[in-house]
Amino acid sequence: MRDRPHSVARAGRPPAAASLDLVCLSAERHRLVVLVDAPSTPRAALALPWQALDPAVGLDLAAGRLARERLGRAPAWIESLGAFGDNRRHPSASALSVAYVAVLPMGSAAPAGMQWVDVQALGPLAPRQDAMLRAAATALRERMDLVPIAFRMLPAEFTLSELQEMYELLLGRRLHKASFRRALQGAYLVEPTESWRSEGRGRPAQLFRYAPRRRRGTRRSVRFELLQ
């Protein structure tokens, strides 16, 4: 039976030559959350999921396998963050780590033995994994103009308010509602469904789905004005 990856190096075993780490992010109650291994004791350190890196397996293939094994499903999006080292401590005690960032839709349940933790309220990670988490949050902000990350973190159907809130969460800034919706309309990224949902005392809001339309010479991203 294959050993389950551990969040700490086992006593008496030599450290792994390199580790493969997964920074899995999602959204929960207007917060960015990260998936960590549930601590075995109240004082145990938190850790991102990782495993020893197998040099015989391609990085993308190994990262996909790690994600499916630990999450129980394929992530909605996954991409390489790069290599991390610089003598920063890691749970595996390895000298080098290769990290990947992945996202799951909001509301996804934590797999057995793991838990979602608010990124802003996260306890201390090993220094190298802390650097990975910060790099992952930056990567989402920088790549969401090129990849539909915000849509991958939403359910299949969503309101435009939910979409704007997801953009604001990832960017860490408020967006002008009218400008955002004009930019979204001009990008041809969503289409309305026949479903509606109540969002409070006002009239129900229409649900949309991600359905990008091909238009020659049109940029496939959302451009909008930011509020200071």
Side-chain angles (χ1 to χ4, degrees):
M1 181 176 180
R2 184 174 180 177
D3 290 339
R4 180 173 178 265
H6 292 270
S7 57
V8 294
R10 289 184 176 178
R13 286 193 176 188
S19 71
L20 177 64
D21 294 60
L22 182 67
V23 186
C24 187
L25 298 167
S26 188
E28 183 179 283
R29 294 189 293 274
H30 309 295
R31 302 176 301 169
L32 189 65
V33 292
V34 62
L35 200 59
V36 298
D37 286 321
S40 55
T41 66
R43 294 187 178 183
L46 297 176
L48 303 174
W50 66 272
Q51 68 180 21
L53 184 63
D54 185 350
V57 180
L59 289 175
D60 289 349
L61 178 60
R65 287 177 178 174
L66 174 62
R68 289 190 297 273
E69 290 174 1
R70 300 305 306 274
L71 305 178
R73 57 185 288 190
W77 175 78
I78 185 170
E79 190 169 303
S80 172
L81 278 176
F84 294 76
D86 298 333
N87 296 318
R88 288 173 290 195
R89 183 172 54 83
H90 186 272
S92 69
S94 64
L96 179 70
S97 298
V98 177
Y100 277 70
V101 57
V103 300
L104 285 178
M106 60 185 296
S108 298
M114 307 188 76
Q115 64 186 47
W116 291 110
V117 181
D118 185 347
V119 169
Q120 298 300 323
L122 183 65
L125 294 170
R128 195 185 306 164
Q129 289 199 330
D130 182 67
M132 294 174 190
L133 177 57
R134 287 185 280 108
T138 299
L140 294 192
R141 288 193 298 270
E142 292 179 346
R143 300 177 193 181
M144 62 187 294
D145 195 35
L146 304 173
V147 181
I149 296 172
F151 296 96
R152 301 296 184 231
M153 296 177 70
L154 287 168
E157 295 185 355
F158 48 83
T159 67
L160 295 185
S161 293
E162 289 173 334
L163 179 59
Q164 181 173 336
E165 288 170 359
M166 185 61 71
Y167 268 87
E168 290 175 337
L169 176 63
L170 295 176
L171 290 169
R173 305 180 71 175
R174 292 182 59 202
L175 303 176
H176 188 274
K177 180 177 179 178
S179 296
F180 177 80
R181 296 198 177 187
R182 284 196 301 268
L184 185 63
Q185 182 179 16
Y188 298 95
L189 293 176
V190 299
E191 67 179 15
T193 71
E194 299 299 322
S195 301
W196 297 72
R197 181 194 302 153
S198 175
E199 290 192 323
R201 296 182 179 180
R203 65 179 184 178
Q206 189 168 18
L207 297 181
F208 288 74
R209 66 169 64 94
Y210 176 62
R213 286 168 25 193
R214 292 186 178 183
R215 289 178 61 86
R216 183 176 299 175
T218 300
R219 184 177 175 83
R220 307 306 307 160
S221 60
V222 177
R223 311 300 296 175
F224 37 75
E225 296 174 13
L226 299 179
L227 291 179
Q228 299 298 328

